[in-house]
């Protein structure tokens, strides 16, 4: 599994508003990282893995790198169908766009319930619940 991922955004304020809403809906937290970035974490006691989101250009980027022209896809684990529903509602209220209302996804035997939204930069963000039943 990953330790962390990161991606740049165009408008830090709009992205922070969006990710604070969706993170809270699935039991995650958003914390400050720098003046130009923030982190999505499980809790203040469990900071890894994390998602770094910011406007600064990472030092390891080479000349010509820029904010993604292709949308990324990132899925958060939800603990219930109700959390998936709450994620979708929170995302829309925080400036996201619907990209797939909550409902069953994939083959029936996967027992997966998910929802998709587009963040302020057009990235496809998902929350999903895998019913162990």
């Amino acid at each position: 599994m990953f330790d962390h991922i990161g991606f740049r955004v165009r408008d830090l304020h709009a992205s922070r508003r969006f990710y604070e809403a969706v993170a809270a809906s699935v039991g995650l937290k958003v914390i400050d990282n720098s003046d130009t970035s923030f982190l999505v974490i499980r809790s203040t006691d469990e900071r890894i893995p994390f998602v770094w989101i910011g406007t600064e250009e990472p030092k390891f980027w080479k000349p010509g790198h820029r904010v993604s022209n292709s949308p990324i896809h990132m899925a958060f684990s939800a603990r219930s169908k109700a959390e998936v529903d709450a994620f979708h509602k929170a995302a829309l209220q925080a400036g996201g766009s619907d990209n797939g209302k909550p409902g069953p996804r994939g083959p029936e035997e996967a027992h997966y319930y998910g929802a998709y939204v587009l963040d302020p930069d057009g990235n496809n963000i998902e929350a999903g619940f895998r019913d162990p039943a």
Side-chain angles (χ1 to χ4, degrees):
M1 191 41 50
F2 68 88
D3 181 88
H4 67 277
I5 61 170
F7 57 94
R8 290 181 70 201
V9 295
R10 290 177 184 84
D11 182 334
L12 190 67
H13 177 72
S15 292
R16 174 113 186 203
R17 180 175 176 256
F18 175 84
Y19 283 98
E20 282 179 340
V22 300
S25 73
V26 293
L28 301 173
K29 302 212 177 305
V30 170
I31 61 169
D32 291 331
N33 185 59
S34 73
D35 290 342
T36 58
S37 65
F38 58 90
L39 303 176
V40 179
I41 61 173
R42 288 184 199 265
S43 71
T44 53
D45 293 331
E46 192 175 354
R47 295 178 180 231
I48 296 173
F50 65 87
V51 178
W52 176 94
I53 301 170
T55 56
E56 65 197 56
E57 185 172 304
K59 291 180 179 27
F60 56 83
W61 277 22
K62 295 181 179 191
H65 283 174
R66 60 187 185 279
V67 174
S68 177
N69 288 331
S70 299
I72 64 165
H73 173 77
M74 181 171 55
F76 292 110
S77 293
R79 294 171 289 195
S80 66
K81 290 179 180 179
E83 274 194 1
V84 172
D85 295 343
F87 158 87
H88 190 261
K89 182 178 179 181
L92 298 180
Q93 290 175 341
S97 306
D98 177 46
N99 201 32
K101 295 184 182 346
R105 303 280 187 243
E108 192 174 323
E109 60 273 10
H111 305 286
Y112 189 71
Y113 184 87
Y116 305 93
V117 295
L118 299 178
D119 77 2
D121 285 288
N123 296 307
N124 187 56
I125 309 302
E126 174 184 358
F129 171 66
R130 295 186 188 278
D131 192 346

